[in-house]
Amino acid sequence: MKFLEELKKKRKLSLRLGFLASDEATYVLKQDTVKKLFRKEIDIEDITEENFQISIKQKGVDMKIGLDIASLAYKNK
């Protein structure tokens, strides 16, 4: 987190941090695994935990950036 703290100190830079939507975090099959399944190069029985990746989405960042843009437009900057 020291890196983020140093970024916050920079001039002409805004750091907008969202939050991780942990309730929406899921494990999904990796794309190459899906391709191999469809090509019948592997079977369902061959899938292990290495074939999965976690999918986490950050929330709130786009809204914060939008508010920044609206604020700058309102101030005619």
Side-chain angles (χ1 to χ4, degrees):
M1 291 301 192
K2 185 173 173 92
F3 175 71
L4 296 179
E5 293 303 319
E6 290 299 316
L7 276 179
K8 289 179 185 179
K9 295 176 187 176
K10 295 292 181 186
R11 209 172 147 253
K12 296 186 179 183
L13 179 91
S14 260
L15 186 62
R16 298 293 179 244
L17 300 174
F19 61 94
L20 296 180
S22 59
D23 57 327
E24 294 180 23
T26 58
Y27 285 95
V28 295
L29 278 173
K30 292 180 181 177
Q31 189 172 359
D32 63 323
T33 303
V34 173
K35 287 179 182 178
K36 288 178 182 178
L37 277 169
F38 281 119
R39 291 185 196 135
K40 299 188 183 211
E41 295 173 9
I42 61 171
D43 291 323
I44 294 288
E45 295 82 21
D46 299 326
I47 295 177
T48 64
E49 63 184 58
E50 286 84 26
N51 298 110
F52 290 90
Q53 64 187 16
I54 192 162
S55 174
I56 301 175
K57 296 180 181 171
Q58 189 178 48
K59 298 288 190 170
V61 176
D62 53 348
M63 183 59 71
K64 289 179 181 182
I65 292 171
L67 289 172
D68 285 344
I69 293 169
S71 174
L72 290 170
Y74 180 75
K75 295 174 186 175
N76 293 324
K77 300 228 174 181

